[in-house]
Amino acid sequence: MTDTAPAAAVFAVHSPATGTPVAEHPVAGPQEVSRAVERARSVQAGWAALPAARRRDHLLRWKKALAGELDAVAGVIAEETGKPAGDAALEVVLTLEHLAWAARNAGSALRRRRVGTGLFALHQRASLTYRPLGVVGVIGPWNYPLYTPMGSVGYALAAGNAVVLKPSELTPGTGVLLARLFDAAVPEHSGLLTTVTGPASTGDALARSGVDKLAFTGSPGTARAVMEACARTLTPFLAECGGKDAVIVTADADLDAAADAIVWGALSNAGQTCAGVERVYAVREIHAALCERVVERAGALRPGSETDSPYGPMTLPAQLAVVERHVTGAVAQGARALLGGPGSVRAPYVSPVVLTGVPEDAAAMTEETFGPVMAINPVADVDEAVARANASRYALGAAVFCGSGRAGAAIAARLHAGAVSVNSVLGFAAVPALPFGGSRESGFGRIHGEEGLRAFSSAQSMTVQRFAPPIALTSFTVPAAARERAVRLARSLHRRR
Ligand code: NAD
């Protein structure tokens, strides 16, 4: 449900394409956030007590409602982010896939399972289960305002938690609609998903509200601030931050397929994708041929706000300056612009930019650009490509294009990345069973897959004593001789191997 308590102020959301206001939303302050968390807590126990199959059915009803409103939801996403309607619809489709997977798999992933006991606890029956945490706070970004938060929201709900969602102040309407659809589809558990809207201060209030975990998606700088706020209450924290994803292209790769995927991975959503393509390392033999194919394809694309535009405006106006700084800086440091250049930034759009020969210490290679810009640098061989790809302070996604899937997988296994696609880009994002997340400046923790369900659960270990042990080692009454026998037995067993 949406927080309907009177709020002190409202804020406006503007269309990134035209700058005109599209909606107003209340600014939730600490009191409104606190009320939302309390209300969520009051309904969570009833949700957690349901058999897993009932929770699954409720979540599938919500999924059905989302599917029924696909066009309306995509419409709000497109209006708030500026992305083309087709891209917004694809975002909803991917979200539905994830919600369905989380709903259908939570029961088996989290249910109690027996584990072996070891020799000294043979008299015990040991098991492990995953209990809900309680109330999960989710702070979302604007670039995929439905898909990205759902990686936490859907999985946390499926694991038996309540959720308070703070969407980005650029895209609050998507979050509001998500909670409204939940209430309409699952009225008997109204309040289980609440959306609180507002700027950074609302997120800060959520981080300090005493939620049982906070799942954050956004930039590494903000992650640090939110983590600090969480530290005060030892609130567990999960950080999904940015990336500087690399693609490696080997000499025997299908260059047409690679170019096609690279162009999409770098330019779709105006490059505003955490796991989008930003760096390409192509072995020298095929570097020129790959660049030619990429430039040919990227050069045919014009950003715009028509329904058939390949990508739209930059959603966050401040990002335009970052993109311009990276492109200008790279060229000043000796990079060659094969397509576009500093002049490609014409607010609110950025035309495709393809750079080569970019020094590895240029901001365009070290910082997240988050725009439709790619650097394609030549490397001597695969070893150099791997070393350069791994030299980043980010480690989120990556891709390898290679003549053989098996050889590509061997290269992929050497990459410091939370997820790697071989012979595609972002292939992992459409597979709900695969966990997603990074390390280094890309954050920590995982969403999606069984790891994602467990990220919003607490492991509970249990032993049930089946019979009295022959040697009661955990009793003051155990005779010294029996204890010594046990030690002798352990020593002889563990010395063998
Ligand atoms: P951001 O860090 O500016 O904001 C993210 C969210 O944090 C927003 O809701 C914002 O209101 C909130 N926030 C800001 N300051 C806060 C504070 N002090 N306390 C609490 N909340 C606060 O990021 P953004 O610009 O919205 O999103 C873009 C970034 O997100 C990029 O770096 C992108 O790579 C990353 N991202 C990562 C993933 C992933 O899954 N790894 C997915 C999408 C986006």
Side-chain angles (χ1 to χ4, degrees), residues 247-249 279-291 335-336 338 355-360 365 375-386 388:
V247 175
I248 293 176
V249 186
R279 300 177 293 152
V280 180
Y281 295 108
V283 293
R284 221 172 284 285
E285 300 97 286
I286 50 89
H287 175 259
L290 178 73
C291 287
R336 206 151 50 88
L338 299 174
L355 303 169
T356 189
V358 188
E360 291 293 322
M365 299 304 275
I376 310 181
N377 278 357
V379 285
D381 51 26
V382 166
D383 287 346
E384 186 186 347
V386 169
R388 292 203 183 282

Side-chain angles (χ1 to χ4, degrees), residues 470-473 475-486:
I471 308 174
L473 289 172
S475 165
F476 288 118
T477 63
V478 62
R483 194 187 298 266
E484 280 157 22
R485 265 203 315 280

Side-chain angles (χ1 to χ4, degrees), residues 34-217:
S34 200
R35 268 205 299 275
V37 172
E38 271 168 39
R39 198 170 43 230
R41 204 171 286 296
S42 72
V43 296
Q44 186 267 334
W47 177 249
L50 292 179
R54 289 282 302 286
R55 282 204 297 271
R56 176 199 62 203
D57 294 345
H58 286 314
L59 291 174
L60 291 178
R61 273 213 324 267
W62 180 35
K63 178 194 65 102
K64 235 169 116 178
L66 256 172
E69 295 293 329
L70 195 151
D71 290 340
V73 177
V76 175
I77 295 174
E79 188 174 53
E80 291 188 326
T81 61
K83 66 178 74 175
D87 283 5
L90 182 62
E91 182 175 344
V92 184
V93 169
L94 283 177
T95 304
L96 293 169
E97 287 284 299
H98 274 277
L99 181 53
W101 192 90
R104 293 197 171 108
N105 289 279
S108 59
L110 306 177
R111 75 160 167 248
R112 186 171 292 283
R113 74 203 53 198
R114 290 277 292 272
V115 298
T117 57
L119 181 65
F120 288 89
L122 277 176
H123 58 298
Q124 305 278 15
R125 189 167 55 236
S127 66
L128 165 68
T129 192
Y130 294 88
R131 294 169 48 75
L133 297 170
V135 180
V136 172
V138 176
I139 296 179
W142 46 262
N143 58 338
Y144 292 91
L146 185 73
Y147 172 77
T148 294
M150 186 58 92
S152 300
V153 172
Y155 290 72
L157 290 174
N161 302 283
V163 173
V164 177
L165 165 66
K166 202 302 269 180
S168 165
E169 55 273 44
L170 271 60
T171 54
T174 309
V176 168
L177 188 51
L178 191 64
R180 193 177 292 153
L181 285 171
F182 181 90
D183 273 359
V186 194
E188 53 277 60
H189 294 281
S190 169
L192 197 68
L193 170 61
T194 307
T195 294
V196 289
T197 55
S201 58
T202 304
D204 185 62
L206 185 57
R208 293 172 197 275
S209 67
V211 288
D212 300 289
K213 183 157 189 170
L214 196 118
F216 169 82
T217 308

Side-chain angles (χ1 to χ4, degrees), residues 399-487:
V400 177
F401 284 86
C402 186
S404 125
R406 188 186 287 253
I411 299 168
R414 296 168 63 194
L415 292 173
H416 292 306
V420 192
S421 308
V422 176
N423 289 335
S424 74
V425 291
L426 285 149
F428 44 79
V431 183
L434 285 176
F436 181 73
S439 55
R440 301 179 180 167
E441 290 278 299
S442 295
F444 48 83
R446 292 292 182 268
I447 55 172
H448 303 169
E450 292 200 354
E451 276 85 348
L453 289 163
R454 290 183 189 141
F456 299 109
S457 311
S458 171
Q460 187 188 56
S461 303
M462 191 182 289
T463 56
V464 176
Q465 183 159 304
R466 297 187 295 150
F467 52 83
I471 308 174
L473 289 172
T474 54
S475 165
F476 288 118
T477 63
V478 62
R483 194 187 298 266
E484 280 157 22
R485 265 203 315 280
V487 171

